[in-house]
Amino acid sequence: QVQLKESGGASVQTGGSLRLSCIASGDLPAQYAIAWYRQTPGSGNEREKVALISTGGTTNYADSVEGRFTISRDNAENTVSLQMNNLEPGDSAIYYCAANRLFRDLLFGSQPADWGQGTQVVVSS
């Protein structure tokens, strides 16, 4: 089990950039695949998977953010970052990082085992 804490959420204007960070602690976090999800007020409890990264650096992105968002990890610092560029109002959400032992489980839609508390991003037009 790992503990996750997000930071970096803020309010920005359309076209702006933000960098979210997720710091992991606990049970060997470098051995976990990490994903970023987001949840909007109108989505109920549904969270959209935005980006994920394996322990070895393999990445995958939702079509809605491909080319604008970049996920990366620094295993020495137990940190996973999400660089978000050219932000749009539709990117406004609470962003969560989540961890799972297996990248393929995250890739194929399994629910992560561990979640952070979230950080809010607001993009105004």
Side-chain angles (χ1 to χ4, degrees), residues 24-48:
S25 60
D27 182 21
L28 300 176
Q31 296 186 5
Y32 285 73
I34 303 292
W36 284 96
Y37 291 75
R38 64 188 181 187
Q39 183 174 0
T40 60
S43 66
N45 292 325
E46 183 175 345
R47 295 179 180 179
E48 176 191 10

PDB file of all heavy atoms in Angstrom, residues 24-48:
ATOM      1  N   ALA A  24       4.556  10.057  -3.420  1.00  0.00           N
ATOM      2  CA  ALA A  24       4.172   8.748  -2.901  1.00  0.00           C
ATOM      3  C   ALA A  24       5.066   8.356  -1.739  1.00  0.00           C
ATOM      4  O   ALA A  24       6.261   8.644  -1.722  1.00  0.00           O
ATOM      5  CB  ALA A  24       4.257   7.706  -4.008  1.00  0.00           C
ATOM      6  N   SER A  25       4.476   7.687  -0.783  1.00  0.00           N
ATOM      7  CA  SER A  25       5.240   7.172   0.350  1.00  0.00           C
ATOM      8  C   SER A  25       4.654   5.829   0.748  1.00  0.00           C
ATOM      9  O   SER A  25       3.553   5.462   0.324  1.00  0.00           O
ATOM     10  CB  SER A  25       5.197   8.148   1.531  1.00  0.00           C
ATOM     11  OG  SER A  25       3.865   8.355   1.949  1.00  0.00           O
ATOM     12  N   GLY A  26       5.397   5.099   1.540  1.00  0.00           N
ATOM     13  CA  GLY A  26       4.890   3.816   2.006  1.00  0.00           C
ATOM     14  C   GLY A  26       5.656   2.652   1.420  1.00  0.00           C
ATOM     15  O   GLY A  26       6.874   2.667   1.376  1.00  0.00           O
ATOM     16  N   ASP A  27       4.924   1.701   0.916  1.00  0.00           N
ATOM     17  CA  ASP A  27       5.466   0.408   0.516  1.00  0.00           C
ATOM     18  C   ASP A  27       6.119   0.466  -0.863  1.00  0.00           C
ATOM     19  O   ASP A  27       5.486   0.172  -1.866  1.00  0.00           O
ATOM     20  CB  ASP A  27       4.335  -0.626   0.524  1.00  0.00           C
ATOM     21  CG  ASP A  27       4.809  -2.014   0.157  1.00  0.00           C
ATOM     22  OD1 ASP A  27       6.027  -2.278   0.289  1.00  0.00           O
ATOM     23  OD2 ASP A  27       3.968  -2.821  -0.275  1.00  0.00           O
ATOM     24  N   LEU A  28       7.393   0.862  -0.928  1.00  0.00           N
ATOM     25  CA  LEU A  28       8.174   0.850  -2.163  1.00  0.00           C
ATOM     26  C   LEU A  28       7.414   1.476  -3.330  1.00  0.00           C
ATOM     27  O   LEU A  28       7.073   0.812  -4.310  1.00  0.00           O
ATOM     28  CB  LEU A  28       8.584  -0.582  -2.517  1.00  0.00           C
ATOM     29  CG  LEU A  28       9.431  -1.291  -1.474  1.00  0.00           C
ATOM     30  CD1 LEU A  28       9.685  -2.737  -1.898  1.00  0.00           C
ATOM     31  CD2 LEU A  28      10.756  -0.558  -1.283  1.00  0.00           C
ATOM     32  N   PRO A  29       7.122   2.762  -3.267  1.00  0.00           N
ATOM     33  CA  PRO A  29       6.305   3.396  -4.302  1.00  0.00           C
ATOM     34  C   PRO A  29       6.875   3.311  -5.699  1.00  0.00           C
ATOM     35  O   PRO A  29       6.119   3.374  -6.669  1.00  0.00           O
ATOM     36  CB  PRO A  29       6.198   4.847  -3.823  1.00  0.00           C
ATOM     37  CG  PRO A  29       7.270   5.023  -2.817  1.00  0.00           C
ATOM     38  CD  PRO A  29       7.509   3.693  -2.204  1.00  0.00           C
ATOM     39  N   ALA A  30       8.182   3.176  -5.829  1.00  0.00           N
ATOM     40  CA  ALA A  30       8.767   3.077  -7.166  1.00  0.00           C
ATOM     41  C   ALA A  30       8.333   1.812  -7.888  1.00  0.00           C
ATOM     42  O   ALA A  30       8.498   1.704  -9.102  1.00  0.00           O
ATOM     43  CB  ALA A  30      10.286   3.130  -7.077  1.00  0.00           C
ATOM     44  N   GLN A  31       7.740   0.876  -7.176  1.00  0.00           N
ATOM     45  CA  GLN A  31       7.285  -0.366  -7.785  1.00  0.00           C
ATOM     46  C   GLN A  31       5.826  -0.320  -8.213  1.00  0.00           C
ATOM     47  O   GLN A  31       5.259  -1.354  -8.591  1.00  0.00           O
ATOM     48  CB  GLN A  31       7.519  -1.528  -6.815  1.00  0.00           C
ATOM     49  CG  GLN A  31       8.985  -1.765  -6.514  1.00  0.00           C
ATOM     50  CD  GLN A  31       9.209  -3.004  -5.666  1.00  0.00           C
ATOM     51  OE1 GLN A  31       8.278  -3.750  -5.366  1.00  0.00           O
ATOM     52  NE2 GLN A  31      10.458  -3.225  -5.256  1.00  0.00           N
ATOM     53  N   TYR A  32       5.212   0.853  -8.148  1.00  0.00           N
ATOM     54  CA  TYR A  32       3.807   1.003  -8.512  1.00  0.00           C
ATOM     55  C   TYR A  32       3.665   1.802  -9.794  1.00  0.00           C
ATOM     56  O   TYR A  32       4.365   2.797  -9.998  1.00  0.00           O
ATOM     57  CB  TYR A  32       3.042   1.725  -7.415  1.00  0.00           C
ATOM     58  CG  TYR A  32       2.744   0.879  -6.204  1.00  0.00           C
ATOM     59  CD1 TYR A  32       3.746   0.533  -5.308  1.00  0.00           C
ATOM     60  CD2 TYR A  32       1.454   0.424  -5.956  1.00  0.00           C
ATOM     61  CE1 TYR A  32       3.473  -0.243  -4.203  1.00  0.00           C
ATOM     62  CE2 TYR A  32       1.163  -0.347  -4.845  1.00  0.00           C
ATOM     63  CZ  TYR A  32       2.182  -0.673  -3.974  1.00  0.00           C
ATOM     64  OH  TYR A  32       1.908  -1.440  -2.884  1.00  0.00           O
ATOM     65  N   ALA A  33       2.731   1.384 -10.630  1.00  0.00           N
ATOM     66  CA  ALA A  33       2.280   2.236 -11.718  1.00  0.00           C
ATOM     67  C   ALA A  33       1.409   3.341 -11.130  1.00  0.00           C
ATOM     68  O   ALA A  33       0.697   3.116 -10.146  1.00  0.00           O
ATOM     69  CB  ALA A  33       1.494   1.431 -12.739  1.00  0.00           C
ATOM     70  N   ILE A  34       1.480   4.510 -11.710  1.00  0.00           N
ATOM     71  CA  ILE A  34       0.743   5.669 -11.206  1.00  0.00           C
ATOM     72  C   ILE A  34      -0.129   6.238 -12.315  1.00  0.00           C
ATOM     73  O   ILE A  34       0.289   6.311 -13.483  1.00  0.00           O
ATOM     74  CB  ILE A  34       1.697   6.772 -10.712  1.00  0.00           C
ATOM     75  CG1 ILE A  34       2.633   6.241  -9.629  1.00  0.00           C
ATOM     76  CG2 ILE A  34       0.905   7.981 -10.206  1.00  0.00           C
ATOM     77  CD1 ILE A  34       1.957   5.894  -8.318  1.00  0.00           C
ATOM     78  N   ALA A  35      -1.316   6.644 -11.953  1.00  0.00           N
ATOM     79  CA  ALA A  35      -2.235   7.252 -12.914  1.00  0.00           C
ATOM     80  C   ALA A  35      -2.806   8.540 -12.343  1.00  0.00           C
ATOM     81  O   ALA A  35      -2.930   8.693 -11.132  1.00  0.00           O
ATOM     82  CB  ALA A  35      -3.370   6.290 -13.246  1.00  0.00           C
ATOM     83  N   TRP A  36      -3.125   9.442 -13.226  1.00  0.00           N
ATOM     84  CA  TRP A  36      -3.886  10.642 -12.885  1.00  0.00           C
ATOM     85  C   TRP A  36      -5.310  10.472 -13.411  1.00  0.00           C
ATOM     86  O   TRP A  36      -5.511  10.104 -14.573  1.00  0.00           O
ATOM     87  CB  TRP A  36      -3.261  11.888 -13.506  1.00  0.00           C
ATOM     88  CG  TRP A  36      -2.036  12.367 -12.803  1.00  0.00           C
ATOM     89  CD1 TRP A  36      -0.744  12.089 -13.136  1.00  0.00           C
ATOM     90  CD2 TRP A  36      -1.978  13.214 -11.652  1.00  0.00           C
ATOM     91  NE1 TRP A  36       0.118  12.701 -12.258  1.00  0.00           N
ATOM     92  CE2 TRP A  36      -0.609  13.409 -11.334  1.00  0.00           C
ATOM     93  CE3 TRP A  36      -2.940  13.840 -10.853  1.00  0.00           C
ATOM     94  CZ2 TRP A  36      -0.195  14.192 -10.265  1.00  0.00           C
ATOM     95  CZ3 TRP A  36      -2.519  14.607  -9.792  1.00  0.00           C
ATOM     96  CH2 TRP A  36      -1.156  14.789  -9.500  1.00  0.00           C
ATOM     97  N   TYR A  37      -6.273  10.768 -12.543  1.00  0.00           N
ATOM     98  CA  TYR A  37      -7.681  10.761 -12.899  1.00  0.00           C
ATOM     99  C   TYR A  37      -8.239  12.154 -12.605  1.00  0.00           C
ATOM    100  O   TYR A  37      -7.647  12.919 -11.840  1.00  0.00           O
ATOM    101  CB  TYR A  37      -8.461   9.749 -12.054  1.00  0.00           C
ATOM    102  CG  TYR A  37      -8.156   8.301 -12.344  1.00  0.00           C
ATOM    103  CD1 TYR A  37      -6.971   7.722 -11.910  1.00  0.00           C
ATOM    104  CD2 TYR A  37      -9.072   7.505 -13.036  1.00  0.00           C
ATOM    105  CE1 TYR A  37      -6.693   6.396 -12.169  1.00  0.00           C
ATOM    106  CE2 TYR A  37      -8.807   6.173 -13.292  1.00  0.00           C
ATOM    107  CZ  TYR A  37      -7.613   5.623 -12.846  1.00  0.00           C
ATOM    108  OH  TYR A  37      -7.340   4.306 -13.107  1.00  0.00           O
ATOM    109  N   ARG A  38      -9.397  12.440 -13.176  1.00  0.00           N
ATOM    110  CA  ARG A  38     -10.064  13.686 -12.827  1.00  0.00           C
ATOM    111  C   ARG A  38     -11.561  13.465 -12.710  1.00  0.00           C
ATOM    112  O   ARG A  38     -12.130  12.589 -13.361  1.00  0.00           O
ATOM    113  CB  ARG A  38      -9.757  14.788 -13.840  1.00  0.00           C
ATOM    114  CG  ARG A  38     -10.268  14.546 -15.249  1.00  0.00           C
ATOM    115  CD  ARG A  38      -9.732  15.627 -16.197  1.00  0.00           C
ATOM    116  NE  ARG A  38     -10.219  15.465 -17.562  1.00  0.00           N
ATOM    117  CZ  ARG A  38      -9.791  16.183 -18.596  1.00  0.00           C
ATOM    118  NH1 ARG A  38      -8.868  17.136 -18.416  1.00  0.00           N
ATOM    119  NH2 ARG A  38     -10.280  15.967 -19.802  1.00  0.00           N
ATOM    120  N   GLN A  39     -12.155  14.294 -11.872  1.00  0.00           N
ATOM    121  CA  GLN A  39     -13.593  14.187 -11.597  1.00  0.00           C
ATOM    122  C   GLN A  39     -14.196  15.579 -11.633  1.00  0.00           C
ATOM    123  O   GLN A  39     -13.708  16.502 -10.971  1.00  0.00           O
ATOM    124  CB  GLN A  39     -13.816  13.548 -10.225  1.00  0.00           C
ATOM    125  CG  GLN A  39     -15.268  13.325  -9.865  1.00  0.00           C
ATOM    126  CD  GLN A  39     -15.398  12.548  -8.562  1.00  0.00           C
ATOM    127  OE1 GLN A  39     -14.420  12.184  -7.923  1.00  0.00           O
ATOM    128  NE2 GLN A  39     -16.628  12.298  -8.157  1.00  0.00           N
ATOM    129  N   THR A  40     -15.270  15.730 -12.400  1.00  0.00           N
ATOM    130  CA  THR A  40     -15.969  16.997 -12.498  1.00  0.00           C
ATOM    131  C   THR A  40     -17.250  16.937 -11.689  1.00  0.00           C
ATOM    132  O   THR A  40     -17.788  15.853 -11.429  1.00  0.00           O
ATOM    133  CB  THR A  40     -16.299  17.327 -13.957  1.00  0.00           C
ATOM    134  OG1 THR A  40     -17.130  16.295 -14.492  1.00  0.00           O
ATOM    135  CG2 THR A  40     -15.020  17.420 -14.785  1.00  0.00           C
ATOM    136  N   PRO A  41     -17.788  18.104 -11.304  1.00  0.00           N
ATOM    137  CA  PRO A  41     -19.011  18.104 -10.480  1.00  0.00           C
ATOM    138  C   PRO A  41     -20.175  17.381 -11.146  1.00  0.00           C
ATOM    139  O   PRO A  41     -20.983  16.757 -10.485  1.00  0.00           O
ATOM    140  CB  PRO A  41     -19.308  19.592 -10.296  1.00  0.00           C
ATOM    141  CG  PRO A  41     -17.992  20.258 -10.440  1.00  0.00           C
ATOM    142  CD  PRO A  41     -17.241  19.454 -11.470  1.00  0.00           C
ATOM    143  N   GLY A  42     -20.264  17.452 -12.456  1.00  0.00           N
ATOM    144  CA  GLY A  42     -21.390  16.847 -13.143  1.00  0.00           C
ATOM    145  C   GLY A  42     -21.237  15.380 -13.455  1.00  0.00           C
ATOM    146  O   GLY A  42     -22.123  14.782 -14.063  1.00  0.00           O
ATOM    147  N   SER A  43     -20.139  14.777 -13.043  1.00  0.00           N
ATOM    148  CA  SER A  43     -19.876  13.393 -13.429  1.00  0.00           C
ATOM    149  C   SER A  43     -20.286  12.386 -12.366  1.00  0.00           C
ATOM    150  O   SER A  43     -20.038  11.188 -12.522  1.00  0.00           O
ATOM    151  CB  SER A  43     -18.386  13.212 -13.743  1.00  0.00           C
ATOM    152  OG  SER A  43     -17.612  13.384 -12.571  1.00  0.00           O
ATOM    153  N   GLY A  44     -20.892  12.874 -11.288  1.00  0.00           N
ATOM    154  CA  GLY A  44     -21.239  11.970 -10.196  1.00  0.00           C
ATOM    155  C   GLY A  44     -19.986  11.443  -9.550  1.00  0.00           C
ATOM    156  O   GLY A  44     -19.100  12.214  -9.197  1.00  0.00           O
ATOM    157  N   ASN A  45     -19.892  10.149  -9.403  1.00  0.00           N
ATOM    158  CA  ASN A  45     -18.698   9.546  -8.810  1.00  0.00           C
ATOM    159  C   ASN A  45     -17.711   9.039  -9.861  1.00  0.00           C
ATOM    160  O   ASN A  45     -16.703   8.430  -9.525  1.00  0.00           O
ATOM    161  CB  ASN A  45     -19.078   8.382  -7.904  1.00  0.00           C
ATOM    162  CG  ASN A  45     -19.810   8.835  -6.665  1.00  0.00           C
ATOM    163  OD1 ASN A  45     -19.522   9.904  -6.124  1.00  0.00           O
ATOM    164  ND2 ASN A  45     -20.765   8.040  -6.216  1.00  0.00           N
ATOM    165  N   GLU A  46     -18.023   9.314 -11.127  1.00  0.00           N
ATOM    166  CA  GLU A  46     -17.176   8.791 -12.188  1.00  0.00           C
ATOM    167  C   GLU A  46     -15.908   9.616 -12.324  1.00  0.00           C
ATOM    168  O   GLU A  46     -15.960  10.850 -12.360  1.00  0.00           O
ATOM    169  CB  GLU A  46     -17.932   8.789 -13.514  1.00  0.00           C
ATOM    170  CG  GLU A  46     -17.156   8.186 -14.665  1.00  0.00           C
ATOM    171  CD  GLU A  46     -17.999   8.094 -15.926  1.00  0.00           C
ATOM    172  OE1 GLU A  46     -19.234   8.227 -15.827  1.00  0.00           O
ATOM    173  OE2 GLU A  46     -17.424   7.900 -17.008  1.00  0.00           O
ATOM    174  N   ARG A  47     -14.794   8.950 -12.423  1.00  0.00           N
ATOM    175  CA  ARG A  47     -13.503   9.609 -12.610  1.00  0.00           C
ATOM    176  C   ARG A  47     -12.921   9.190 -13.949  1.00  0.00           C
ATOM    177  O   ARG A  47     -12.869   7.996 -14.261  1.00  0.00           O
ATOM    178  CB  ARG A  47     -12.543   9.258 -11.477  1.00  0.00           C
ATOM    179  CG  ARG A  47     -13.014   9.795 -10.121  1.00  0.00           C
ATOM    180  CD  ARG A  47     -12.070   9.417  -8.996  1.00  0.00           C
ATOM    181  NE  ARG A  47     -12.571   9.950  -7.725  1.00  0.00           N
ATOM    182  CZ  ARG A  47     -11.976   9.773  -6.547  1.00  0.00           C
ATOM    183  NH1 ARG A  47     -10.846   9.087  -6.467  1.00  0.00           N
ATOM    184  NH2 ARG A  47     -12.494  10.296  -5.442  1.00  0.00           N
ATOM    185  N   GLU A  48     -12.491  10.192 -14.690  1.00  0.00           N
ATOM    186  CA  GLU A  48     -11.909   9.949 -16.004  1.00  0.00           C
ATOM    187  C   GLU A  48     -10.408   9.710 -15.854  1.00  0.00           C
ATOM    188  O   GLU A  48      -9.704  10.502 -15.229  1.00  0.00           O
ATOM    189  CB  GLU A  48     -12.129  11.160 -16.923  1.00  0.00           C
ATOM    190  CG  GLU A  48     -11.476  11.031 -18.280  1.00  0.00           C
ATOM    191  CD  GLU A  48     -11.488  12.348 -19.068  1.00  0.00           C
ATOM    192  OE1 GLU A  48     -11.827  13.393 -18.486  1.00  0.00           O
ATOM    193  OE2 GLU A  48     -11.154  12.309 -20.264  1.00  0.00           O
TER     194      GLU A  48
END
